[in-house]
Amino acid sequence: MMVPLFGTAPNPKGEIQQAVEKLVGKKLNITWVPNAEYNEKTNVTLASSSIPDVMVIQDNKGPSFVKAAQAGAFWDLTDKLDKYPNLKPKSEQAWLNSKTDGKNYGIYRVRPLLRSAIMIRKDWLEKLNLKLPETTDDLYQIAKAFTEKDPDGNGKKDTYGLILPKWPGVNFSASSPYNAIDVWFGAPNDYGMRDGKLVPEFDVPEFWEAQKYIKKFIDEGLTNPDWATLDTAKWDDPFIQGKGGITIDVNVRVGSLFDKFKELDPTTYDKKVAMAGNLKRPDGKKFSLPFTGFNGIVSISKQRIRTEQQLDDVLKVLDKLASKEGSILVNNGIEGRNFKVEDGFAAKINDQDPAMKTINNDVEKAFIQLGMTSSVGVAGEAYEWKRPSKAEQEWMKYRDEVAKLDLETAVHDPSLPVISPTLVEKGATLNPIPTDARIKYLAGEINEDQFKAEIKRWYDSGGTQVLAELQDRISKLGVGG
């Protein structure tokens, strides 16, 4: 097996690996590859004559995997999972999204299907007597108040509303704050159908409404001055330091903000962060930005797993790993050893003990990457970790309610299950055209006509062909959009 690693590689004789092997009834030979090198190692492995029996594929839309899968290197599991109760897809949408050119060459690793949200400084809202936003207008008013009404009470005009980072997305739609706002205003999420034709996110009237909205924040100084260059690794800094008060990102970010505030002051940390969901646009209509519902797939090689019988053996092992017992092992560890169950949540036992640290490392930094039906952000049949304060516990409950509600208005990307050969070939030159033009437009370096000329250049350089290929493949799948 080849699996990504986010810390120290587990000892094959360690407690977690032994417990997993006992559960699945097989010895596991796992090659753990540091995450930063994983895609490169995947490309090298796919080009070699030695593909492991099972491997996690992080980018199942990438050229090297697409080529290998189409050449028959991996089992097509599209119609093969019905008799494995734990592997049978739990979400039709995530199963569809995780296809590679119309086929499922692996079992998707579950992630939240909707996790877009807004983090807001709770203490600032209370100081200025403001409520959580429900509409895009509300958010603008809050950003304006955070900039002009001294929310930190220091008598200086040294705060701003919205914190935007430089978004290094290689694709136009990369779940950035910009994409969330596009969707709120009614633009497609990457691609969408309009009058029977597939169109990109950046070429509909609603897109321009969204750009004018974002530009207003920038032009009026309601965002961080370094919005075009702020590294995403430092995105939390202005929020924690009390310079900016609003972040649009994934809802789990609230948890990491709680943790960071706790390091600064354990007595007040639970009063600093509030969360809101996706927003209605000015006319009251609501559109929410979903995610894909998966992060990579677990694929089975045809090199040594050659017969249906051998495939069945491997799928039985993966099915055990995706069972309730398997999910708890790879998400939480060993009950009664490194964690106990409290109020339906997992609580760590003696986590400063070196043996417990090892178990926790092996779970959190390694084995959780083999979680298929429960994993990062989706507890599934495993346990969610208990948060210490009442405010955090209330947030978790609220987070799940908001996500469920927003999912009802989610705008899914119909192009996810299919692939455009032109985009695979020319993506490196095509994708930056609209991305760069948007940033230049927002910065005031080009006007709307010049932006539209760049969009025309995208069409002329291969965009027209990309849309035709995607639309053709979507219609063959019969999934519409």
Side-chain angles (χ1 to χ4, degrees), residues 305-381:
I305 311 299
R306 292 188 175 172
T307 66
E308 293 275 350
Q309 180 55 55
Q310 288 172 311
L311 175 65
D312 179 56
D313 288 343
V314 174
L315 287 171
K316 278 179 179 152
V317 166
L318 293 177
D319 192 61
K320 282 180 188 163
L321 200 54
S323 69
K324 181 171 183 172
E325 297 78 3
S327 295
I328 291 168
L329 260 181
V330 302
N331 279 268
N332 308 118
I334 301 163
E335 188 176 343
R337 179 90 178 106
N338 69 307
F339 81 94
K340 59 181 186 240
V341 180
E342 280 179 11
D343 310 323
F345 290 92
K348 285 184 178 165
I349 298 171
N350 197 8
D351 61 354
Q352 292 312 303
D353 177 314
M356 296 310 114
K357 277 188 172 171
T358 301
I359 293 177
N360 292 333
N361 166 76
D362 291 2
V363 170
E364 293 162 13
K365 307 293 186 196
F367 275 93
I368 195 168
Q369 296 302 317
L370 281 168
M372 289 163 278
T373 49
S374 61
S375 190
V376 184
V378 179
E381 289 198 288

Side-chain angles (χ1 to χ4, degrees), residues 82 125 233 267 371 405 471:
D82 276 354
L125 279 177
T267 60
L405 186 69
Q471 182 154 2

Side-chain angles (χ1 to χ4, degrees), residues 214-275:
I214 301 167
K215 197 161 163 38
K216 200 155 76 153
F217 280 75
I218 293 165
D219 292 349
E220 293 180 15
L222 311 183
T223 62
N224 45 313
D226 61 348
W227 62 273
T229 56
L230 177 67
D231 186 341
T232 45
K234 297 189 172 133
W235 195 359
D236 281 343
D237 293 359
F239 195 96
I240 302 287
Q241 292 159 1
K243 292 178 184 170
I246 304 164
T247 301
I248 301 167
D249 193 32
V250 291
N251 56 20
V252 290
R253 196 178 196 95
V254 175
S256 68
L257 288 168
F258 271 125
D259 293 341
K260 288 181 181 180
F261 276 118
K262 192 175 188 175
E263 280 173 29
L264 290 177
D265 184 356
T267 60
T268 62
Y269 83 98
D270 57 348
K271 298 176 176 62
K272 304 279 191 189
V273 200
M275 190 199 92

Side-chain angles (χ1 to χ4, degrees), residues 104-118:
N104 292 92
Y105 291 105
I107 298 131
Y108 69 81
R109 302 189 305 164
V110 69
R111 290 296 186 276
L113 190 53
L114 198 137
R115 52 188 196 147
S116 47
I118 306 163

